[in-house]
Amino acid sequence: MKLAVGHFSTVAITGPSTPTVYCVAKVNSAGGTPSIGCQGEPSISDPADDFFVTASNVLNRKPGIMLWSTLPAAIPFGGGTLCLAPPIVRTPGQASGGSPAPTIDWTGQYSFHFGHAYTQSYFLAAGQSIRTQYWSRDPGFVAPTNIGLTNGLSFTLQP
């Protein structure tokens, strides 16, 4: 199966661990719909150690974080939908990059290496289902809805 990942290249993912996109993204204040995707194989021991969770079509030059949980949800949140149920883990902040100032558009992207060291630090095991979603700043909306949310990505960690 090929999973399109926006500005990132399309990647062939095979086997029982085929990630699935679910839930609904929040349209950002510039009119773009952020999208979650991935590259590589979600494995705890594959020598390639090449699994990345990605987001595209996010606002340029804005901070964001990847969130993850072992449980899905569809909870109204910040004018969009939180696709994860508690407990939720937050990854370190990332910059979206994209078009230079003063342009405001949806050319930003995020990428998080959900690799061996990371899975081991949380004692995650093969066969465990993970759900992810990106959260970002969106100053084009008034508080408390001044956030961006991608759709969700579900995958199962392989040996």
Side-chain angles (χ1 to χ4, degrees):
M1 172 184 168
K2 290 196 180 274
L3 179 64
V5 289
H7 294 282
F8 295 90
S9 60
T10 300
V11 176
I13 299 175
T14 60
S17 63
T18 302
T20 304
V21 174
Y22 72 101
C23 202
V24 178
K26 178 182 175 184
V27 175
N28 64 41
S29 61
T33 303
S35 181
I36 199 162
C38 63
Q39 297 177 353
E41 181 69 28
S43 168
I44 63 166
S45 63
D46 184 316
D49 194 16
D50 65 350
F51 190 62
F52 289 83
V53 178
T54 61
S56 58
N57 300 332
V58 298
L59 288 179
N60 56 320
R61 303 181 330 274
K62 298 296 177 260
I65 57 176
M66 190 190 78
L67 308 171
W68 67 269
S69 174
T70 57
L71 301 169
I75 303 167
F77 180 71
T81 304
L82 181 62
C83 305
L84 312 171
I88 296 172
V89 178
R90 299 182 300 174
T91 62
Q94 299 177 37
S96 64
S99 298
T103 303
I104 297 174
D105 59 22
W106 56 91
T107 58
Q109 303 175 50
Y110 301 112
S111 180
F112 183 80
H113 185 214
F114 210 103
H116 301 162
Y118 188 76
T119 58
Q120 290 167 4
S121 71
Y122 283 92
F123 304 101
L124 299 173
Q128 198 157 15
S129 292
I130 306 294
R131 276 59 174 204
T132 63
Q133 182 176 26
Y134 273 93
W135 173 98
S136 59
R137 294 277 182 203
D138 190 339
F141 293 125
V142 297
T145 64
N146 56 339
I147 64 167
L149 295 165
T150 65
N151 43 359
L153 181 74
S154 175
F155 58 89
T156 302
L157 292 170
Q158 300 300 300

